[in-house]
Amino acid sequence: MTPRTRLRLSVVAILLFLGLAYVRWVPLPHLFPEPYSTVLLDRDGQLLGAITASDGQWRFPLGDSIPWRFRTCLLEFEDRHFQDHWGVNPSSLARATVQNFRAGRVVSGGSTLTMQVARLGRGTRSRSWFHKMDEMLLAIRLESQLPKDTILKLYCAHAPFGGNVVGLEAAAWRYYGRPAHTLSWAECATLAVLPNAPSVVYPGRRQTVLRAKRDRLLQRLMDAGHIDPIELELARQEELPGRPLSLPRLAPHLLQTLMAQGHAGERIHTTLIASIQERSKEVMERHARALHANEVHNAAALILETTTGRVVAYVGNLPDAGVLHQGEVDVVQARRSTGSLLKPFLYADMMGQGEILPGMLVADIPTRFDRFTPRNTDRTFAGAVRADAALARSLNVPAVRALHQHGVERTLIMLQRMGLAHLDKPAAYYGLALAIGGGESTLLELTGAYASLGRIVTDFRPGEEQRLVWSPQLLNAADPEQDAQAAPLDAAAAYLTLQALQHVKRPEAEQGWNYFQGRSPIAWKTGTSVGNRDAWAIGVTAAHTIGVWTGNATGEGRPGLTGTLAAAPMLFELFGLLPPSARLDPPHDQLTPVEVCARSGFRAGPFCGEPEVINAPFLGERAAVCPYHQLIHVDATGHFRTHEFGSRAVHWFVLPPAMERYTAANDPSHTSLPPWRDADVEDSSPYMEFIYPLPHTRVHIPRELTGEAGAVVLEAAHRHPATPIHWHLDGTFIGSTTAEHRLRVQPAPGEHTLTLTDAGGHQLLGKFFVAAGP
């Protein structure tokens, strides 16, 4: 072999190697630059909704698989040798060349499916020889670097199916209204022939031509042994689709929200369940009519799995709200006043710390803090009320007093750890109003927090640290365990809190629910913001947690817009969509028996009589001892106290004057402390009590708008309200009161001494400090 020949062979070998390297290893060019539609799927892959791509085309992102019927139809119609060739089929090209020569024009391209993918990927429409050669080269590179299945998936995702429909999945939904894997042989054959001439023949146009092409393909399928004659005959009798159908719109607000969060152009796999989502929308639509009658135009609902936090249903707003009433707003994500919804978390935190017990009496009396006067919704006071009953009745005054005792900063940290991230202001910003709607959160966060309260109970494992996920899970592919954190609440306290919430009074339509066997016990809470702008209802079972909000997205309040009247009926109808739930199992390893006073609910003291035994968190053993039972001596009638011979000792329940006044008004069975038989006996029991200002507190008195000095209303309570009280400020008489013991004064800045004297000569002294300001 001559040197020249060796050189030529070397050059040829190098060129072949470079060509092979180019085909095999040089990265493919960027194909398919077109944008994709955003597709929303439920946890089983069922379509919830979709939005066209930014170019107006229905073009779904690349799918995971190709339905076997469509695959068979496509290969039979377009490329029977797809599995055998390497991107280019010489026999097909030769046949196409002969056909085009005889016709004098291009009637057949001889392209393989891979070459069609190359043409679609380049976005070229020209059928010149130059572009044909470019397609052939790119097809060879595709075959060298991609599996056959991937090439088929690319074709199925980008082939045109007429109009603005691109890709198999979009075509299946637009023409048949269901997923591609459910299509019949006739339907798959119809779709398989469409990309051949999508601008000329498609459903709704030239149906006769389309039917003929479909039937010819069906005949070929039978000839190839893919279907039998009976299947062929049945397939031919199927009707062709008409004009394109609308796609499902089961969760439009969630779709828009996820797009805004960076998921535009993606196939989004959510945790929703399509059937429950659809029925939840129907429930909200039914209740919309009653809401609209009261000029309430917006509502939202969320259903979670309690044990996992996965979202089952997500109704972001009422479908018929429209643009005028901000129907496009996703209210599930909107910040709104929390109303009374944070009270259970405060109750649970205090319970876990041993500060309260379920039956412990708390004060529901007129209460004022500097510049803040909480009031109950019904403008009444119960006096002494059980802590669990105060929670079930959603009394504002006991909640604010509890928050003052527990601490706003401490409570805020706990709430943030429960997942309420929108409580993002410092504690001083919220103050004591945090307990009754002074903060803002979202339906997503609040429902998630209630689900977490249930999860603390259901996921309790003796001897293991609880590390749970506090945020609801919307995406099916998310790994929630990476966000797990230690539980901020005690499992026993969470359980007792949910037990208390099972005794909330249900709406009138739900009365008598407990008489029906098999109904799930629901722990639930309502909330109503100031001005009736927000109505909430959230319920928890061992299986599911549901949150409902209703109101006006504009912030307009409406009379009668309350959690009980407006939101709770929707809550219980949504629970009716779900299978019954088992009862919450108590976390026995975190409960301990505690002896409590049967009357006060405090830990039993020496004068409480026969105690009751309840289950409480471990720190409940350190709860306060009953301060109300006293040992007194009474005469034979029992109507007077005395130290005379022959008296008998009894245990008497004695409330502070303010609590007794309102308790006696609500409880006819309450018996006041008997008076002394001997008037000259010094009585150590308090007859009077300051309500405002409390001793040793600071009072801020702002100036009036006119610039004049402001005033403060002093208030006290007497064990016997009709008894007159004489008021002295720094030794100077300022007035007398009877029954309603309130007095308006204008004290100067500085420290003051307030002295109260009743008609019986009993005195009460207290100091307070006045700070003046704008």
Side-chain angles (χ1 to χ4, degrees):
M1 183 180 298
T2 66
R4 183 182 296 274
T5 304
R6 283 198 299 270
L7 177 61
R8 290 174 178 172
L9 291 176
S10 298
V11 170
V12 171
I14 292 172
L15 291 176
L16 288 174
F17 175 78
L18 292 176
L20 176 62
Y22 173 75
V23 169
R24 186 67 181 86
W25 292 297
V26 173
L28 293 168
H30 177 61
L31 302 176
F32 305 108
E34 299 85 3
Y36 290 110
S37 300
T38 306
V39 179
L40 193 69
L41 306 173
D42 80 345
R43 65 178 60 178
D44 297 320
Q46 187 166 337
L47 185 67
L48 298 171
I51 291 181
T52 56
S54 57
D55 61 356
Q57 302 293 305
W58 288 107
R59 185 186 298 107
F60 285 18
L62 203 64
D64 297 329
S65 61
I66 304 170
W68 67 274
R69 284 195 183 93
F70 181 80
R71 180 191 184 102
T72 303
C73 292
L74 178 65
L75 296 183
E76 183 64 35
F77 183 74
E78 291 282 0
D79 193 348
R80 280 180 284 184
H81 302 288
F82 175 74
Q83 298 295 343
D84 303 321
H85 62 65
W86 34 269
V88 177
N89 190 342
S91 62
S92 297
L93 288 174
R95 186 194 71 248
T97 301
V98 173
Q99 291 176 344
N100 295 336
F101 178 77
R102 290 175 176 173
R105 58 187 177 89
V106 177
V107 296
S108 175
S111 297
T112 63
L113 276 175
T114 312
M115 291 172 63
Q116 294 184 51
V117 170
R119 184 177 71 254
L120 294 170
R122 292 285 198 192
T124 58
R125 299 194 178 189
S126 172
R127 305 184 77 176
S128 67
W129 282 106
F130 173 78
H131 286 104
K132 179 67 69 175
M133 296 299 295
D134 181 57
E135 290 172 15
M136 293 168 61
L137 178 59
L138 181 54
I140 294 172
R141 296 179 64 193
L142 288 170
E143 290 279 353
S144 299
Q145 299 186 36
L146 298 178
K148 290 280 189 181
D149 275 354
T150 301
I151 295 172
L152 271 182
K153 290 176 186 176
L154 288 172
Y155 178 86
C156 290
H158 297 91
F161 284 83
N164 67 340
V165 181
V166 178
L168 170 63
E169 285 190 81
W173 280 102
R174 289 287 281 164
Y175 296 136
Y176 294 105
R178 62 182 195 274
H181 69 269
T182 66
L183 299 183
S184 66
W185 280 112
E187 292 165 339
C188 287
T190 302
L191 295 184
V193 303
L194 286 180
N196 184 251
S199 61
V200 178
V201 179
Y202 56 85
R205 181 179 180 183
R206 302 186 69 180
Q207 297 286 78
T208 303
V209 176
L210 179 58
R211 179 181 290 274
K213 294 180 70 173
R214 181 201 70 177
D215 290 350
R216 283 196 298 270
L217 175 55
L218 289 172
Q219 181 65 49
R220 288 168 58 179
L221 289 172
M222 192 201 74
D223 295 340
H226 297 298
I227 60 176
D228 58 36
I230 296 178
E231 289 176 307
L232 172 64
E233 185 60 32
L234 292 174
R236 282 175 170 170
Q237 293 178 15
E238 290 189 28
E239 293 296 327
L240 294 174
R243 296 195 176 275
L245 307 173
S246 297
L247 268 64
R249 284 178 50 84
L250 295 182
H253 296 91
L254 176 59
L255 178 57
Q256 292 287 354
T257 294
L258 291 175
M259 288 179 65
Q261 293 176 355
H263 295 282
E266 296 180 9
R267 184 186 300 271
I268 308 172
H269 294 268
T270 70
T271 60
L272 273 60
I273 298 177
S275 58
I276 297 179
Q277 173 71 17
E278 184 172 14
R279 294 167 67 193
S280 298
K281 278 191 64 179
E282 293 170 355
V283 168
M284 304 298 284
E285 289 169 359
R286 280 199 299 273
H287 285 269
R289 291 189 288 273
L291 294 173
H292 295 342
N294 190 30
E295 294 297 321
V296 177
H297 300 286
N298 306 101
L302 196 67
I303 303 179
L304 308 181
E305 292 174 345
T306 300
T307 54
T308 64
R310 296 202 299 173
V311 179
V312 174
Y314 186 114
V315 183
N317 209 328
L318 294 178
D320 61 349
V323 177
L324 180 63
H325 301 293
Q326 301 192 23
E328 75 283 357
V329 174
D330 183 357
V331 188
V332 172
Q333 306 278 347
R335 295 175 70 140
R336 309 292 301 195
S337 169
T338 59
S340 298
L341 291 178
L342 304 184
K343 292 176 183 175
F345 302 101
L346 171 63
Y347 177 91
D349 202 15
M350 296 183 71
M351 181 86 64
Q353 299 300 320
E355 297 173 47
I356 58 173
L357 294 170
M360 183 181 287
L361 293 181
V362 295
D364 181 23
I365 58 176
T367 300
R368 272 191 283 174
F369 299 96
D370 193 12
R371 292 180 287 179
F372 180 50
T373 304
R375 292 183 175 87
N376 295 323
T377 304
D378 59 5
R379 297 293 194 270
T380 64
F381 301 98
V385 60
R386 287 172 55 106
D388 53 4
L391 176 62
R393 293 169 58 185
S394 196
L395 298 177
N396 290 335
V397 173
V400 172
R401 292 173 68 97
L403 181 58
H404 181 261
Q405 172 190 339
H406 192 62
V408 179
E409 179 80 32
R410 183 180 175 190
T411 304
L412 182 60
I413 292 173
M414 176 271 298
L415 292 171
Q416 291 169 341
R417 291 181 62 196
M418 287 295 294
L420 301 178
H422 281 90
L423 293 175
D424 50 8
K425 303 290 192 301
Y429 175 86
Y430 300 111
L432 296 175
L434 180 64
I436 54 174
E440 290 185 335
S441 188
T442 66
L443 180 61
L444 183 69
E445 286 183 353
L446 287 165
T447 310
Y450 273 80
S452 298
L453 195 64
R455 199 175 313 127
I456 290 174
V457 179
T458 58
D459 282 13
F460 173 71
R461 300 291 182 271
E464 297 181 13
E465 180 190 17
Q466 280 193 290
R467 296 188 62 82
L468 305 176
V469 180
W470 309 111
S471 300
Q473 302 301 307
L474 274 167
L475 302 181
N476 216 8
D479 180 15
E481 295 304 320
Q482 62 184 359
D483 299 323
Q485 298 180 11
L489 293 176
D490 179 86
Y495 172 77
L496 293 172
T497 300
L498 294 173
Q499 289 294 106
L501 292 178
Q502 288 183 10
H503 300 290
V504 178
K505 184 179 179 181
R506 293 197 181 205
E508 185 175 344
E510 287 281 330
Q511 296 301 308
W513 67 273
N514 50 313
Y515 295 110
F516 295 92
Q517 297 295 324
R519 290 297 300 270
S520 304
I522 300 171
W524 67 291
K525 182 76 181 70
T526 60
T528 306
S529 66
V530 175
N532 297 92
R533 294 181 176 90
D534 305 276
W536 303 85
I538 301 181
V540 184
T541 68
H544 293 95
T545 301
I546 300 179
V548 174
W549 173 91
T550 185
N552 287 310
T554 59
E556 177 189 359
R558 296 298 303 170
L561 181 62
T562 66
T564 302
L565 296 177
M570 288 184 278
L571 174 77
F572 288 106
E573 189 166 347
L574 289 171
F575 267 114
L577 303 179
L578 305 172
S581 169
R583 294 180 178 273
L584 284 169
D585 292 327
H588 295 289
D589 285 48
Q590 284 204 341
L591 290 166
T592 187
V594 176
E595 290 188 346
V596 299
C597 172
R599 184 81 180 272
S600 73
F602 284 73
R603 275 199 308 123
F607 307 127
C608 289
E610 186 67 26
E612 288 184 353
V613 178
I614 66 167
N615 286 322
F618 289 131
L619 291 182
E621 296 177 321
R622 301 192 313 198
V625 174
C626 176
Y628 302 133
H629 274 103
Q630 299 179 11
L631 182 67
I632 65 172
H633 290 80
V634 296
D635 62 8
T637 66
H639 296 156
F640 296 95
R641 282 180 287 169
T642 182
H643 288 318
E644 296 178 355
F645 180 77
S647 65
R648 56 191 177 89
V650 295
H651 299 154
W652 206 276
F653 187 72
V654 184
L655 290 172
M659 290 177 69
E660 182 173 56
R661 173 192 169 184
Y662 291 97
T663 300
N666 292 283
D667 182 7
S669 65
H670 178 78
T671 306
S672 298
L673 186 68
W676 285 97
R677 176 186 292 279
D678 303 316
D680 58 346
V681 175
E682 184 177 351
D683 192 353
S684 60
S685 300
Y687 273 75
M688 292 174 287
E689 181 182 4
F690 288 115
I691 293 178
Y692 186 80
L694 296 175
H696 310 295
T697 58
R698 186 183 184 91
V699 178
H700 186 275
I701 305 179
R703 288 190 174 277
E704 304 291 346
L705 293 176
T706 60
E708 299 177 354
V712 62
V713 177
L714 308 177
E715 187 171 2
H718 197 285
R719 191 174 300 280
H720 306 291
T723 304
I725 294 180
H726 309 293
W727 301 67
H728 293 77
L729 185 65
D730 300 324
T732 301
F733 176 74
I734 57 174
S736 298
T737 57
T738 304
E740 295 293 333
H741 298 294
R742 298 190 185 95
L743 200 63
R744 186 177 186 273
V745 296
Q746 291 180 303
E751 188 176 66
H752 297 277
T753 300
L754 184 62
T755 305
L756 308 184
T757 306
D758 71 359
H762 305 103
Q763 280 195 342
L764 180 66
L765 280 76
K767 293 181 181 293
F768 64 97
F769 187 87
V770 172

